[in-house]
Amino acid sequence: MRYDSITDAIGNTPLVRIDPAVHGLRSIDLYAKLEMLSPFGSVKDRTAWNMARPELAAAVESGSQIVELSSGNTAKALAVIAGMHGLRFKSVTNRMRIPEIKELLLLLGAEIEELPGQSECLDPTNTEDPLTLFHQALSGSDSPLLHTDQYFNPRNIQAHAAGTGPEIITDLGGAPDWFIACVGTAGSSTGVATVLRAHDPSVRVVGLVAAKSDFIPGIRTRDEVHEVGLFDPRTYDSIEEVDSGEAIDGMVTLIRRCGMLAGPTGGAAYFGALRHLREIDATLTERKTAVFIVCDRVESYLSYIRHRRPELLGGTRARHAIGDLTAAEVAAAPAISVQDARPWIDAVRPLVIDLRSTFAYSALHMAGAVNIVDEIFGELLRGGLPFSLKQPVLLACPVGEQSARYAALLTRMGHPDCRSLTGGIVAWRDAGAPLERD
Ligand SMILES: Cc1ncc(COP(=O)(O)O)c(C=O)c1O
């Protein structure tokens, strides 16, 4: 294969059958569409190139900077494409949670601007959410910008309707019976689903999202997915949740048993596909076919894996980790309402731990609160309790979900008086309780 430009090598990715001895399905041939083998490393290469390509000549002419709301694969691909054309690229993102992806983006020449998450509850007098601020900054910018706008740009969907979907049909000699994909911007699943259904309306499409309050890098939770401009629930016959543990289990099987060095969303897609198909498989009398997407590779996620499954990287499994909590433990976590918390704070002077980002904390916080960002608090607890059992503790996060998990963990560790602030800093703010700024 000879190419004039690396961008000509985007797409035409392999469709590889998973060994039935690994997946165990009797009547379904399961195929992985290996988007991780695209030159910049992911399914988003097609999206980035299709969005940027028609604008590049004008951008070069005006010296525009490419900007995109992305903390991962779209940013990686755009950074490379920008560099190849002598343009600058800026990635605007909520908190960057995977350090090696941030470092890789910097290595690729990206500028990074981190915005706080909308749910982090900043200054209550500022009603503008971070996305609005981003769009204001775009329109108010003095220098020319090329905003590729992956969450709204129809060329995101089109990249997959023109490439990924038709490739699957060609390779299988028809549409599969099921198509299973993780949903981030919804571009790849929508583009592929549209083409498959046009070929055969009976194709069933399963969209996978991360479980509520969980984090699988690259995809959205069931609640978050509705904020995406390209997302249309009618694209999917069902939307199903995968949690980070299941994604890692699926990923390890793809890596160790199938030779596919997939990242967590590839693992989520494999796990979600099998869970969906297993029961159906038992009822089938003729052969069927299913395809799932492996979006990217594992190497960028080592810290994510170390955090959740240290034993996979030669470490020892943490004795105290929120990933090990049961739903019942989290549901039973000690909590306190804003109304009850105020006299309780005055009476027992608990250690107030604010689990939000440093950005959100420094904008506004409860008096006397210390800021330990949730992931760092998780790391601290792996070593044991960092405060006395006699010290009452109040945990606060944006809406009371993360703090409930940590309150459950502290309870499991034997802490007799730790509580999660119900409704989090948002509820505290909405009740008019005092917040301060340094
Ligand atoms: C690792 C990973 N998996 C899956 C997806 C989902 O793809 P899409 O944005 O097309 O829904 C993304 C999107 O950024 C991703 O980065």
Side-chain angles (χ1 to χ4, degrees):
M1 273 175 282
R2 193 175 132 172
Y3 300 106
D4 287 331
S5 166
I6 187 71
T7 51
D8 295 341
I10 294 174
N12 285 316
T13 53
L15 187 69
V16 180
R17 195 171 74 112
I18 304 287
D19 183 349
V22 174
H23 62 61
L25 299 174
R26 210 173 30 95
S27 303
I28 302 175
D29 290 316
L30 181 61
Y31 288 89
K33 176 74 171 155
L34 297 185
E35 290 299 294
M36 66 187 220
L37 294 179
S38 202
F40 314 136
S42 85
V43 70
K44 308 302 294 203
D45 294 7
R46 299 182 194 255
T47 307
W49 182 229
N50 200 50
M51 293 188 306
R53 194 182 49 218
E55 314 283 344
L56 282 171
V60 170
E61 176 90 4
S62 58
S64 296
Q65 180 175 40
I66 303 182
V67 287
E68 182 54 274
L69 268 178
S70 164
S71 54
N73 286 317
T74 308
K76 273 189 221 164
L78 285 172
V80 178
I81 291 166
M84 287 173 64
H85 292 83
L87 297 169
R88 288 172 306 129
F89 169 69
K90 179 154 79 174
S91 154
V92 182
T93 145
N94 289 345
R95 178 153 54 119
M96 279 251 173
R97 296 173 73 170
I98 316 268
E100 58 267 47
I101 294 185
K102 184 172 180 173
E103 285 174 351
L104 184 55
L105 280 175
L106 293 169
L107 181 68
L108 297 178
E111 243 177 77
I112 297 176
E113 186 175 328
E114 288 182 68
L115 293 174
Q118 184 172 8
S119 61
E120 291 199 277
C121 183
L122 300 166
D123 184 345
T125 59
N126 176 3
T127 52
E128 305 292 1
D129 67 85
L131 252 180
T132 312
L133 291 175
F134 170 66
H135 284 280
Q136 278 172 353
L138 280 184
S139 50
S141 167
D142 294 337
S143 51
L145 298 174
L146 192 186
H147 176 210
T148 37
D149 207 6
Q150 63 166 341
Y151 287 99
F152 290 90
N153 191 336
R155 292 188 66 86
N156 177 354
I157 294 176
Q158 191 199 39
H160 303 283
T164 326
E167 288 167 25
I168 293 173
I169 293 173
T170 304
D171 288 341
L172 290 178
D177 299 285
W178 290 274
F179 170 62
I180 300 107
C182 291
V183 185
T185 64
S188 51
S189 44
T190 308
V192 173
T194 307
V195 170
L196 297 184
R197 285 215 182 96
H199 192 84
D200 177 355
S202 68
V203 175
R204 273 137 297 168
V205 177
V206 180
L208 297 170
V209 291
K212 201 171 158 64
S213 299
D214 203 348
F215 172 54
I216 303 177
I219 61 176
R220 309 215 129 211
T221 63
R222 197 185 279 275
D223 296 338
E224 290 166 345
V225 86
H226 293 280
E227 296 159 11
V228 174
L230 297 178
F231 174 77
D232 179 347
R234 289 169 300 182
T235 303
Y236 310 92
D237 293 288
S238 64
I239 303 248
E240 299 175 12
E241 289 182 10
V242 179
D243 70 33
S244 49
E246 294 165 340
I248 294 175
D249 287 341
M251 184 190 82
V252 170
T253 303
L254 289 179
I255 293 172
R256 294 187 179 174
R257 303 284 316 279
C258 307
M260 298 173 185
L261 302 191
T265 61
Y270 174 66
F271 186 96
L274 268 190
R275 189 180 53 196
H276 185 89
L277 296 173
R278 219 172 258 130
E279 257 182 52
I280 301 170
D281 180 58
T283 65
L284 292 175
T285 50
E286 57 186 51
R287 286 215 77 71
K288 302 275 183 189
T289 312
V291 171
F292 67 97
I293 293 190
V294 176
C295 294
D296 69 355
R297 294 175 65 94
V298 65
E299 289 89 338
S300 296
Y301 301 101
L302 295 180
S303 65
Y304 176 81
I305 298 163
R306 187 175 306 112
H307 189 66
R308 286 166 172 76
R309 293 281 181 80
E311 72 279 11
L312 289 173
L313 304 182
T316 46
R317 192 167 181 106
R319 282 180 303 136
H320 312 298
I322 51 167
D324 294 337
L325 292 168
T326 62
E329 277 178 296
V330 177
I336 187 164
S337 67
V338 171
Q339 200 188 5
D340 294 342
R342 294 178 72 177
W344 183 67
I345 291 171
D346 289 339
V348 310
R349 302 257 151 234
L351 174 63
V352 181
I353 302 179
D354 186 328
L355 299 165
R356 297 173 304 151
S357 72
T358 311
F359 194 110
Y361 172 83
S362 56
L364 274 179
H365 54 255
M366 296 161 69
V370 293
N371 180 214
I372 312 181
V373 177
D374 54 6
E375 283 132 28
I376 296 175
F377 192 54
E379 284 299 317
L380 261 182
L381 295 183
R382 285 170 186 271
L385 274 180
F387 33 69
S388 158
L389 287 174
K390 294 191 197 117
Q391 171 64 57
V393 175
L394 177 65
L395 298 166
C397 70
V399 292
E401 287 173 2
Q402 279 296 40
S403 56
R405 294 156 84 105
Y406 283 105
L409 185 57
L410 289 179
T411 304
R412 186 197 262 198
M413 292 169 77
H415 198 291
D417 197 10
C418 65
R419 304 179 192 202
S420 159
L421 182 65
T422 305
I425 300 287
V426 169
W428 182 270
R429 177 197 66 186
D430 292 349
L435 286 162
E436 61 184 41
R437 180 196 316 264
D438 288 332

